[in-house]
Amino acid sequence: MSTLIPLYIIVPLGTAFITVFFAKWLPGLGKYLINLALLFLTGLTIYLVIHEPQTMIYRVGGFTDVANIPIAIFLMIDGLTKILLLIISLVGLFVAFYSIKYTKQYTCEGNFYTLFGLMLAGMYGVVIAGDIFNLYVFLEIASISSYALVAFGIEKQQLEATFKYQILGGVSSLIILTGIGFLYWATGTLNMPDIATQLPKHDTFNIFVSVLLISGFGLKAAMFPFHSWLPDAHSSAPSPISAMLSGVLIKAIGIYVIIRLFFNVFSLSYEIAMTITVLGTLSMIIGVLLAVGQWDFKRLLAYHSISQMGYVFLGIGIGMLILSTGGDGKIAALSILGGLFHLMNHSIFKALLFLNAGSVEYRTGTRNLRKMGGLASRMPITSATSFIASMSISGIPPFNGFFSKIIIIIAAIQARYYLLSFFAVIVSIITLASFSKVLKYAFAGKTHEKHNEIKEVPVSMSISMTALALLCLLMSLLIIPSIREVFLTPAINVLLETSQYSVSAIGI
Amino acid sequence: MILFFLCFILFMVGLYGIIMQRNLIKIIIGLAIMEYSVLFFLILIGYIDSATAPIISESFEEALFVDPLPQAMVLTAIVIGLATKALMLSVAIRLYKEYGTFDIRKMNTLKG
Amino acid sequence: MSNDNQTPEGMTIVVKKICQFMAPTIFLFGIYITVHGHLTPGGGFTGGVIMASAFILQILSYGSFLDKLQQEKWHLELTESLALLCFLMLAVLGLLLATTSVFFGNFLHRGSFGELISGGIIPIGNIFVGIEVCAAISSIFVALLIFKDKEA
């Protein structure tokens, strides 16, 4: 079955190039091709999740290991990878379907789908790469296409946001490259399972490289002190792209890499775990405090992304703290479960919220909450789905956000981090307040006179939103033990048995 | 060792350019300088004093040659840098068209 | 650059004549670097950049019309995506063929070491990358030039 792994790179890249090639003769080809490609990849991912429980390894070019030294470029799929593949495919599919109508307003529709395909290829590549330099290359493919996509509408705001994003993204890439250089210097290899076995045990070096890598990937993931580009870039981009950036990109090229590196490649250390937990808590609190005062719909959502990413870091960080101090493995498992579950949930409901904001902007032409009002009677589907998503992000049962948040809070209490669990509850309440503001100003109340004529958005857009809203409900089912074993437990096991990563790959 | 130190200075020069300059083009140049310092660093990792280039020839078995892997990495990083900078410059030109200036202090539509 | 004259202005006759001599040489050197990529330092990217520099030299010295540039850009984009598709196909062919059945598998005969025709698919891949890079860099240049001309 591992022969299928390269398809995750071949299919999106092929789609992108074919779209450019036929752009002049068949201008509408790209949008349907990318939907088909994502449908295929979603099916493939679900198949792999259900039928292939072990770690799969693929050696590109067919080079076999020489005396246990891996020579080939590795592509690896394990439990943690699978949940990332799942959210990239699912969110990508619905966003691509939503874009069919949305991109009609742009002159170069074909280029949109080319860049979209390249971004997908980059994200899939980051997630399945087992080699740190290839990870960097795929990360850059994803980043560069996302820079271009943020500026796709060529408006003043978008250009400014993209410039800021590019400069900060460029600096973070260089920091990551320096970190990779140091890793290669110390170990003489670029293969991540091999680095894990070769890495010297002196702490100062490990901490120095860890700091470089945390700042680099933290910037990509918009962790607290590095968050300033996110609200600009995510709010200015075209709405489907905002949904991709907030829903998937910061997870695939930020959080995933941090989790992978500091659980499986570096040996667990208390200092790193503490850093991740503290930065996660700070981004959780500061993100939500900055979000409360916003009146721009998408900017508000972007600040909430920072805050919700804080929850993920909090869950992962507490698990790491417990593991590194040799505490109870069960609590660590619970905490990591919460973090990963929240990662999946956030990608679904944040993508949905950005698509809602896009629909509102598509019909009313404004993002300012003060200029909306009473849209519930005019756009029933948008309003209903955004109600579901808002309840989900604020942690109201029975939607998925509730379960992941409650798991993180319970784990924090069990691990005796009472202050952190208190903060998590408070932030959740402020989130609820902030989203009741959105619902009140945008959808409830009297219809603005200007907006008496508007209709519901086109069918393809409303189908995507409805599907994501249904997923918000269905994802709650992942908490049922028998379903959890299929999706989340393999991912947690990858993180709990940290040395298993190199054992399964190169047998050391 | 002194070369590594010079690399670090070059990195700081680039960072200074990014942080202190107000002109879009100069910021891009700062980023480019920073990138070159990282590339130098990667080359230095693979460098061995008085070694030959890693080309296979007759005297290949005896010869001491430098590590070719960082050089491959540097080539890839150069390609990536090319793409980044081309995109950045085109954005800078577009911004110049919108605002009529390269000064970032005049570009302030995004706030908060 | 874009005037009502029949020929674009360009630079002086000295520059034009020297470019006339230099550009083919540079282009040939780029091809040399590309096809020897598996034997000597260099390869697809380096050779492609050199080839593109010959192209850019021509445009700079002779000048060009806006509409011609636009057509040129479209051709370059076509070449670029075709070369990329060919490169991807080459990699996928390794996956499909039974002899290797692995992504980027080297399904061709390796040949003897040190000869120009050796190394299986690596020189072929280098050639595709060379074409792609040449087209890509030229099209970046042409795109920026079109942008500048539209301004004027």
Side-chain angles (χ1 to χ4, degrees):
Chain A
M1 263 306 87
S2 61
T3 343
L4 295 176
I5 297 179
L7 284 180
Y8 282 107
I9 296 165
I10 297 169
V11 171
L13 276 185
T15 313
F17 300 151
I18 290 171
T19 308
V20 196
F21 188 69
F22 291 106
K24 203 126 198 178
W25 300 298
L26 295 165
L29 179 71
K31 60 175 81 166
Y32 302 111
L33 212 55
I34 198 123
N35 273 294
L36 282 178
L38 278 163
L39 201 61
F40 168 70
L41 290 175
T42 313
L44 181 63
T45 314
I46 291 172
Y47 175 79
L48 289 181
V49 167
I50 292 171
H51 290 280
E52 291 286 328
Q54 323 86 330
T55 305
M56 285 181 287
I57 295 170
Y58 191 85
R59 291 173 171 81
V60 177
F63 296 99
T64 44
D65 300 357
V66 179
N68 265 335
I69 300 168
I71 294 176
I73 294 167
F74 274 38
L75 302 178
M76 301 175 65
I77 293 190
D78 59 12
L80 178 61
T81 311
K82 276 178 201 151
I83 63 168
L84 263 298
L85 289 177
L86 199 64
I87 60 169
I88 296 171
S89 311
L90 273 177
V91 174
L93 175 65
F94 292 124
V95 167
F97 197 64
Y98 180 94
S99 311
I100 290 178
K101 269 280 179 308
Y102 189 88
T103 51
K104 281 260 157 67
Q105 50 184 310
Y106 298 119
T107 45
C108 296
E109 258 188 285
N111 292 355
F112 182 89
Y113 292 98
T114 308
L115 289 167
F116 196 83
L118 285 175
M119 188 164 86
L120 281 172
M123 287 190 294
Y124 280 128
V126 167
V127 173
I128 65 176
D131 171 301
I132 197 160
F133 191 71
N134 275 279
L135 190 149
Y136 169 76
V137 172
F138 283 119
L139 178 138
E140 283 293 282
I141 294 175
S143 308
I144 293 173
S145 38
S146 73
Y147 303 150
L149 279 169
V150 168
F152 200 78
I154 337 177
E155 288 157 21
K156 248 183 187 180
Q157 256 190 18
Q158 293 181 334
L159 289 169
E160 211 181 309
T162 208
F163 195 79
K164 197 169 172 183
Y165 182 22
Q166 267 183 328
I167 293 293
L168 287 172
V171 172
S172 77
S173 299
L174 291 178
I175 294 172
I176 292 167
L177 192 57
T178 318
I180 292 172
F182 274 110
L183 273 182
Y184 179 71
W185 199 5
T187 61
T189 175
L190 289 170
N191 187 295
M192 291 203 289
D194 205 18
I195 288 176
T197 59
Q198 302 284 328
L199 205 64
K201 289 284 175 269
H202 27 103
D203 274 342
T204 31
F205 174 80
N206 279 2
I207 285 179
F208 175 64
V209 177
S210 305
V211 166
L212 283 178
L213 292 173
I214 285 193
S215 3
F217 289 110
L219 230 159
K220 297 271 184 202
M223 232 181 190
F224 154 61
F226 317 114
H227 66 273
S228 65
W229 59 270
L230 187 138
D232 293 344
H234 287 202
S235 64
S236 312
S239 290
I241 297 310
S242 307
M244 275 315 266
L245 292 180
S246 244
V248 192
L249 191 82
I250 56 172
K251 299 182 182 68
I253 72 174
I255 292 180
Y256 164 76
V257 189
I258 288 182
I259 294 175
R260 176 63 88 205
L261 285 178
F262 293 108
F263 274 91
N264 293 140
V265 176
F266 289 87
S267 46
L268 290 170
S269 80
Y270 181 77
E271 291 85 355
I272 299 298
M274 205 61 194
T275 316
I276 290 179
T277 315
V278 168
L279 290 184
T281 316
L282 282 175
S283 25
M284 190 170 84
I285 297 165
I286 292 180
V288 83
L289 288 182
L290 288 168
V292 168
Q294 298 299 325
W295 285 97
D296 182 332
F297 195 170
K298 283 171 76 176
R299 210 172 170 81
L300 184 143
L301 296 179
Y303 276 115
H304 276 296
S305 280
I306 300 172
S307 161
Q308 300 297 314
M309 284 301 94
Y311 274 101
V312 179
F313 277 122
L314 182 65
I316 301 292
I318 289 175
M320 215 168 154
L321 273 174
I322 297 168
L323 284 180
S324 65
T325 50
D328 189 353
K330 272 196 185 137
I331 305 173
L334 191 67
S335 179
I336 293 170
L337 166 74
L340 292 180
F341 193 26
H342 199 67
L343 189 150
M344 292 179 84
N345 291 340
H346 178 256
S347 66
I348 302 290
F349 56 65
K350 190 46 73 69
L352 175 53
L353 280 169
F354 268 114
L355 294 187
N356 286 324
S359 303
V360 171
E361 197 186 354
Y362 187 76
R363 282 301 186 213
T364 64
T366 178
R367 301 205 305 247
N368 192 335
L369 286 172
R370 286 198 182 95
K371 290 183 185 155
M372 299 171 191
L375 293 176
S377 56
R378 298 274 138 211
M379 306 168 82
I381 297 175
T382 310
S383 133
T385 50
S386 75
F387 176 75
I388 291 175
S390 307
M391 291 302 108
S392 196
I393 196 174
S394 343
I396 303 293
F399 301 106
N400 55 5
F402 168 72
F403 294 103
S404 46
K405 278 186 184 176
I406 202 85
I407 291 171
I408 294 175
I409 292 166
I410 289 173
I413 291 172
Q414 283 189 351
R416 295 170 194 278
Y417 293 111
Y418 298 115
L419 189 65
L420 297 183
S421 60
F422 173 72
F423 280 138
V425 173
I426 292 292
V427 169
S428 189
I429 292 168
I430 304 176
T431 310
L432 181 61
S434 170
F435 275 95
S436 3
K437 177 177 103 177
V438 172
L439 292 177
K440 174 171 180 285
Y441 278 92
F443 297 107
K446 271 214 315 266
T447 313
H448 208 283
E449 276 173 27
K450 262 196 311 196
H451 301 149
N452 275 332
E453 301 297 310
I454 58 171
K455 300 193 295 277
E456 184 56 80
V457 286
V459 180
S460 87
M461 288 160 85
S462 37
I463 286 178
S464 293
M465 292 192 294
T466 320
L468 281 170
L470 278 178
L471 270 180
C472 273
L473 267 174
L474 287 178
M475 293 280 276
S476 309
L477 295 179
L478 282 182
I479 209 67
I480 297 169
S482 57
I483 304 178
R484 194 175 67 208
E485 304 236 304
V486 179
F487 287 90
L488 286 164
T489 313
I492 297 162
N493 289 339
V494 168
L495 300 185
L496 286 181
E497 293 150 20
T498 48
S499 56
Q500 200 62 35
Y501 180 63
S502 13
V503 174
S504 61
I506 55 171
I508 298 176
Chain B
M1 203 60 220
I2 186 117
L3 284 174
F4 286 102
F5 191 65
L6 289 176
C7 255
F8 183 71
I9 291 179
L10 202 59
F11 191 86
M12 285 300 152
V13 169
L15 199 61
Y16 173 85
I18 292 172
I19 295 169
M20 300 303 288
Q21 291 299 326
R22 296 283 174 252
N23 187 315
L24 291 184
I25 303 294
K26 284 183 183 167
I27 291 174
I28 295 172
I29 292 172
L31 196 73
I33 292 173
M34 223 166 132
E35 190 193 318
Y36 297 145
S37 80
V38 176
L39 299 186
F40 277 133
F41 169 69
L42 288 180
I43 287 286
L44 279 177
I45 287 171
Y47 180 73
I48 300 168
D49 208 16
S50 70
T52 56
I55 306 170
I56 297 183
S57 57
E58 286 78 35
S59 57
F60 169 67
E61 291 295 334
E62 306 88 87
L64 184 69
F65 59 92
V66 296
D67 191 352
L69 196 63
Q71 302 187 353
M73 281 159 72
V74 165
L75 266 181
T76 318
I78 289 174
V79 180
I80 293 168
L82 172 90
T84 322
K85 252 159 258 135
L87 188 63
M88 236 178 234
L89 283 171
S90 56
V91 169
I93 294 175
R94 292 263 183 199
L95 275 171
Y96 182 76
K97 195 183 163 195
E98 294 281 346
Y99 289 92
T101 171
F102 277 125
D103 192 341
I104 50 167
R105 280 168 297 189
K106 305 265 165 60
M107 299 169 191
N108 47 11
T109 48
L110 292 168
K111 273 190 189 136
Chain C
M1 272 186 198
S2 50
N3 294 331
D4 298 329
N5 304 343
Q6 278 301 307
T7 50
E9 264 176 43
M11 295 186 183
T12 56
I13 183 85
V14 182
V15 182
K16 277 183 185 172
K17 275 290 160 198
I18 292 195
C19 282
Q20 217 171 10
F21 287 119
M22 288 306 293
T25 323
I26 293 172
F27 199 78
L28 206 60
F29 183 60
I31 292 174
Y32 168 82
I33 293 279
T34 307
V35 296
H36 284 77
H38 56 302
L39 299 175
T40 56
F45 179 73
T46 327
V49 171
I50 296 170
M51 286 194 269
S53 71
F55 190 80
I56 290 170
L57 204 62
Q58 289 279 20
I59 297 182
L60 278 183
S61 58
Y62 282 86
S64 188
F65 288 122
L66 185 61
D67 46 348
K68 208 166 181 185
L69 278 179
Q70 258 154 355
Q71 205 185 357
E72 203 65 52
K73 179 164 167 271
W74 149 239
H75 287 153
L76 286 169
E77 274 170 8
L78 209 62
T79 321
E80 185 191 347
S81 51
L82 191 63
L84 275 171
L85 271 177
C86 287
F87 187 69
L88 195 67
M89 277 298 142
L90 192 70
V92 175
L93 214 57
L95 183 66
L96 295 180
L97 287 182
T99 46
T100 50
S101 68
V102 65
F103 191 44
F104 272 108
N106 200 338
F107 54 85
L108 288 177
H109 187 56
R110 308 277 165 90
S112 57
F113 169 75
E115 281 176 17
L116 184 58
I117 300 175
S118 65
I121 63 163
I122 293 173
I124 303 175
N126 263 335
I127 290 168
F128 286 141
V129 172
I131 297 170
E132 193 276 325
V133 171
C134 175
I137 292 185
S138 313
S139 74
I140 290 172
F141 175 76
V142 170
L144 290 178
L145 205 61
I146 288 173
F147 199 78
K148 180 184 148 261
D149 281 10
K150 268 187 187 163
E151 278 300 278

